[in-house]
Amino acid sequence: MSRPDSFVPPAVARARTLATSRGGFAAIEAAPAGQQLGTVLMLPGFTGSKEDFNALLEPVAAGGYRVVAVDGRGQYESAPPASPDGYARAELAADVLAQAEALGAPVHLLGHSFGGQVGRAAAIAEPGSFRTFTMMSSGPAAISQSEKARAKLLLDALAVMTMEEVWEAMRRMEPLEEAPVVPAAPAAPGAAGGRPAAPTDAGDLRRRWLATDPAQLVAAAGQLVAEPDRVAELAATGLPVHVVSGVQDGVWPPELLDDMARRLGARRTTVAGAGHSPNTDRPARTAAALLAFWDAHR
């Protein structure tokens, strides 16, 4: 799971409910102090939330963009659907299209990991709702075999255990205080490309986990292990695409993302020192790459 350095939004941002034609979604929004060059909609990944983008909000807003990060349906602080059918991929894509409309489409769309898969479905369904599409650590089809095995373990656990019990089991397997980050050249705390020294409080991660609808996790895991290759469909939209990842990633290996970018004719950025979550591992470097792409497609 992504582990933001803090669940508290930066001073330039505010928590809000994004009202759409499909209901409200919990969101965090930051806006530039001066001229606004565009709006960015950010979708979090599996087991994640809008807070995963906290470290990007200030630099993106400073670069002139209004940025809105949302919790998907049933994620953390967004309400679940009336039935599990609301987690079908087409329904999730319709949510994204409604969010874009509420923000004044067309917007720049960014999806991290599972959010990239959902965002791709929305972009294919209605490309006119978006100026650009960024797939961050999100691949062409299903997750790797090793991650499929991990997803099956989670699905098996959720079938017989409570969310609290699953959380404790995950903590025994991987202490959450030890967030893995790919080694990089030393940087002073807060320096460009570096991470603040203080880790996320495990209590915040636990609260997020317990607030997430188990049915959302089940549906998302099922989609991640069965996602078909939709690269040709995305390429046919003509949308400018940016493929971003860290230098190491066991979910979709970087070389697979290299090939996807070639098939899409997309811009490709590999963030030094980052793993599966460049947005939390190296936010300054990631923000700089994102801004350069959006500036090229205003």
Side-chain angles (χ1 to χ4, degrees):
M1 68 175 62
S2 290
R3 295 160 189 167
D5 286 310
S6 174
F7 269 57
V8 179
V12 299
R14 66 185 180 99
R16 59 167 292 195
T17 297
L18 177 61
T20 80
S21 60
R22 291 175 61 86
F25 294 86
I28 300 174
E29 177 176 356
Q35 180 185 9
Q36 182 173 302
L37 304 177
T39 296
V40 181
L41 172 61
M42 295 186 172
L43 314 176
F46 185 55
T47 74
S49 67
K50 59 192 178 301
E51 287 77 13
D52 294 341
F53 300 113
N54 274 350
L56 294 180
L57 299 181
E58 186 168 5
V60 169
Y65 292 84
R66 174 194 183 200
V67 54
V68 180
V70 297
D71 288 336
R73 194 172 297 277
Q75 280 185 314
Y76 193 28
E77 295 179 322
S78 284
S83 79
D85 292 343
Y87 291 127
R89 176 57 57 81
E91 294 297 315
L92 298 180
D95 287 343
V96 175
L97 293 172
Q99 292 160 5
E101 179 183 28
L103 293 173
V107 302
H108 297 282
L109 180 64
L110 180 151
H112 173 240
S113 195
F114 176 69
Q117 309 288 286
V118 174
R120 180 170 63 188
I124 290 169
E126 197 173 309
S129 292
F130 309 106
R131 292 189 181 278
T132 67
F133 177 40
T134 298
M135 297 186 72
M136 181 181 289
S137 303
S138 189
I143 54 179
S144 66
Q145 288 300 319
S146 61
E147 290 300 312
K148 285 182 180 180
R150 286 165 60 91
K152 184 179 185 302
L153 283 174
L154 177 59
L155 288 171
D156 290 345
L158 287 171
V160 297
M161 301 166 67
T162 66
M163 288 288 281
E164 179 69 48
E165 289 169 338
V166 174
W167 175 260
E168 292 303 324
M170 291 192 303
R171 287 209 57 173
R172 289 192 294 271
M173 292 173 63
E174 180 184 0
L176 293 171
E177 293 81 0
E178 298 174 8
V181 178
V182 179
R195 288 172 64 92
T200 303
D201 185 275
D204 289 325
L205 297 172
R206 176 179 175 276
R207 281 188 291 275
R208 175 172 71 180
W209 173 264
L210 294 178
T212 297
D213 181 14
Q216 190 274 338
L217 296 172
V218 170
Q223 292 173 26
L224 285 168
V225 302
E227 177 76 3
D229 189 313
R230 305 194 69 185
V231 173
E233 292 176 82
L234 179 59
T237 67
L239 275 173
V241 178
H242 190 189
V243 177
V244 180
S245 74
V247 294
Q248 294 182 14
D249 195 334
V251 184
W252 287 282
E255 57 269 22
L256 187 65
L257 301 186
D258 292 342
D259 180 68
M260 181 178 74
R262 284 191 292 269
R263 293 168 62 195
L264 288 167
R267 180 179 293 212
R268 176 73 172 105
T269 296
T270 303
V271 180
H276 184 62
S277 299
N279 44 309
T280 58
D281 291 346
R282 293 292 183 268
R285 295 172 184 170
T286 302
L290 296 173
L291 288 168
F293 174 62
W294 295 326
D295 282 349
H297 297 283
R298 293 181 190 168

